Every structure is written in structure tokens, then in C-alpha cells.
């Protein structure tokens, strides 16, 4: 166990909800100290019972940014942690962008790209398929290790996206696929008009801790091998 390496490793958590909070707590338990959160949501009344980095006080008024609160509360749990929160909306395919919104979306893309480049491991923990598309592409372009976790009503998936060593880049057909390589449906708007059973909050409470723990354990194992 290389504790010094774990302290130096920087992790970017895209999503600060049920998965993001649980992944962060597990990483802290392993000795990881540099964690950044990304989310565009606010802490709501239903969050604290499922998301262990939030309290009821965080949800009062519905104005507390999840990413900021997660970072602040993580450092209360572990004062030696270096945690940051970034309020950011991930640009998504299938969601229209007006001309007036274009500069904002471009700025968010650049910020997302900057964050992915500066971190060692990317955890993809968002609540929709299409929000995973752009981070997957950016991480692949910059050869970043990416751990993807997603929840269904009574199912979950945890997988790693492939990175390539220098000697492997010259050999075609020797890389792992990604979340979308194994999906026959192109990313599109899955958020509008979705039924209750398709919403991320409707899932077995025990699945998020299981999927989050597997995500963190996979990352730690890959760092040591």
C-alpha cells in the first residue's frame, strides 16, 4: 500500500450526489486527500438521508450548491483533505443551446476540459447518460483513467474506461471500450418527460454505497498495478 502515492493522487468527481458523496468518503478512507467535486445542483430536503456529505441545514432554503457543500463538509470529516467544489453544468448532446447560451456553454466546456486535464483519476457519477458523453471523450483524448458508475432502480454498473501506455498506442485494437462503446443507443435527451422509475432518486438505497465502494476500490487497485 503506497500511502504517499495516494496522498498525491488527485480525483475529480463529476457528480456530487449519492454516488459522489459515497465515493469521496471511501477515497478519504483509503488516504486520498485531493478531491474536487463538480455539480450544478443545490442541496434539497431529500438529499441528506441518501448523501452523507450533506446535513439538513444544507438543504434549508434550497440555495446551497452541492459541489461547494460537499467539499466543505468533506474537510470537516477530514481536515487534512484538500477539497474543492466547482458549480458547473456539463454540456450534453440532445439538449439544445440557443445563440445567447453559446458563450456560457463554451466556457463550461473549457472549464470541464481544464479540470479533467489537471486531475489523475476521473469519476463519472452523474445522473443521466448524456452527461457522461463529453467527459468520456475528453478523458479519452487526454488518456485519463476514468471510473464510471451508474444506478438503475435495482441495478447498477461500475466500469473503467481504458487508458493506454506509450507502447500500446502504436498497436490498434488493444484498448478497452467506454460506457458508450457498449451501448447501442446514441446519447440523447433522457431527462425530459422521464417516468418516475427512470429518475435517479428512485433506486434501492443500498445500491449507491455498493456501486460507490466498488468504484473507489477499482481505482485504488488500478493505481497499485
Amino acid at each position: 500500500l503506497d500511502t504517499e502515492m495516494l496522498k498525491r493522487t488527485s480525483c475529480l468527481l463529476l457528480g456530487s450526489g449519492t454516488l459522489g458523496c459515497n465515493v469521496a468518503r471511501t477515497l478519504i478512507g483509503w488516504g486520498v486527500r485531493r478531491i474536487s467535486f463538480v455539480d450544478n445542483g443545490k442541496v434539497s430536503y431529500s438529499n441528506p438521508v441518501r448523501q452523507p456529505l450533506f446535513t439538513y441545514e444544507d438543504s434549508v432554503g434550497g440555495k446551497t450548491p452541492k459541489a461547494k457543500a460537499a467539499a466543505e463538509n468533506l474537510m470537516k470529516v477530514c481536515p487534512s483533505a484538500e477539497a474543492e467544489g466547482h458549480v458547473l453544468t456539463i454540456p450534453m448532446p440532445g439538449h439544445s443551446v440557443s445563440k445567447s447560451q453559446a458563450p456560457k456553454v463554451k466556457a463550461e466546456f473549457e472549464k470541464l476540459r481544464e479540470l479533467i486535464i489537471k486531475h489523475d483519476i476521473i469519476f463519472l457519477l452523474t445522473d443521466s447518460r448524456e452527461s457522461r458523453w463529453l467527459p468520456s471523450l475528453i478523458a479519452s483524448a487526454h488518456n485519463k483513467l476514468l471510473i464510471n458508475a451508474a444506478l438503475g432502480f435495482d441495478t447498477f454498473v461500475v466500469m473503467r474506461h481504458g487508458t493506454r501506455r506509450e507502447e500500446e498506442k502504436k498497436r490498434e485494437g488493444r484498448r478497452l471500450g467506454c460506457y458508450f462503446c457498449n451501448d447501442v443507443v446514441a446519447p440523447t435527451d433522457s431527462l425530459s418527460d422521464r417516468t418516475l422509475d427512470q429518475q435517479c432518486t428512485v433506486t434501492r438505497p443500498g445500491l449507491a454505497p455498493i456501486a460507490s465502494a466498488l468504484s473507489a476500490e477499482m481505482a485504488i487497485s488500478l493505481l497499485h498495478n
Side-chain angles (χ1 to χ4, degrees):
L1 178 62
D2 191 340
T3 56
E4 290 302 314
M5 179 267 290
L6 291 177
K7 285 171 64 177
R8 294 192 305 269
T9 299
S10 57
C11 296
L12 178 64
L13 277 54
L14 300 178
S16 307
T18 309
L19 289 169
C21 289
N22 282 287
V23 167
R25 291 297 295 260
T26 307
L27 291 174
I28 285 292
W30 269 106
V32 175
R33 291 295 178 264
R34 300 174 61 195
I35 297 175
S36 297
F37 296 89
V38 170
D39 206 294
N40 69 341
K42 305 286 198 301
V43 182
S44 67
Y45 287 114
S46 66
N47 292 158
V49 295
R50 298 178 292 111
Q51 301 171 8
L53 288 179
F54 304 130
T55 64
Y56 175 80
E57 286 73 22
D58 293 324
S59 68
V60 174
K63 296 181 180 180
T64 306
K66 277 189 168 184
K68 300 286 187 182
E72 291 173 6
N73 291 334
L74 186 66
M75 289 189 287
K76 291 178 183 177
V77 173
C78 180
S80 62
E82 300 174 26
E84 299 177 351
H86 301 273
V87 180
L88 176 69
T89 299
I90 298 173
M92 298 181 287
H95 294 253
S96 60
V97 176
S98 66
K99 189 173 181 179
S100 62
Q101 294 174 315
K104 179 176 182 292
V105 173
K106 183 178 180 180
E108 289 173 331
F109 162 76
E110 294 294 346
K111 181 63 176 179
L112 177 63
R113 180 174 174 272
E114 174 190 326
L115 288 170
I116 289 175
I117 290 173
K118 70 182 286 190
H119 287 79
D120 300 313
I121 302 181
I122 317 303
F123 287 87
L124 202 41
L125 312 167
T126 57
D127 59 1
S128 71
R129 294 175 64 257
E130 59 267 33
S131 60
R132 300 167 188 270
W133 175 255
L134 186 57
S136 296
L137 291 181
I138 298 173
S140 178
H142 294 281
N143 203 36
K144 293 289 184 177
L145 173 61
L146 187 148
I147 306 295
N148 198 336
L151 301 176
F153 171 66
D154 57 2
T155 59
F156 67 88
V157 60
V158 175
M159 65 183 294
R160 61 167 286 202
H161 290 195
T163 56
R164 294 176 291 170
R165 297 184 178 92
E166 286 300 320
E167 63 271 17
E168 292 176 334
K169 291 181 181 180
K170 300 177 182 178
R171 295 181 289 181
E172 294 298 326
R174 296 184 62 86
R175 62 183 301 183
L176 298 176
C178 73
Y179 182 82
F180 294 97
C181 295
N182 297 282
D183 197 340
V184 297
V185 181
T188 185
D189 183 359
S190 67
L191 299 177
S192 301
D193 303 320
R194 58 180 174 175
T195 58
L196 187 65
D197 64 310
Q198 293 176 317
Q199 297 179 25
C200 65
T201 53
V202 184
T203 183
R204 297 173 68 97
L207 290 186
I210 293 171
S212 300
L214 288 173
S215 301
E217 295 291 324
M218 181 184 292
I220 299 300
S221 295
L222 289 170
L223 283 173
H224 283 83
N225 292 282

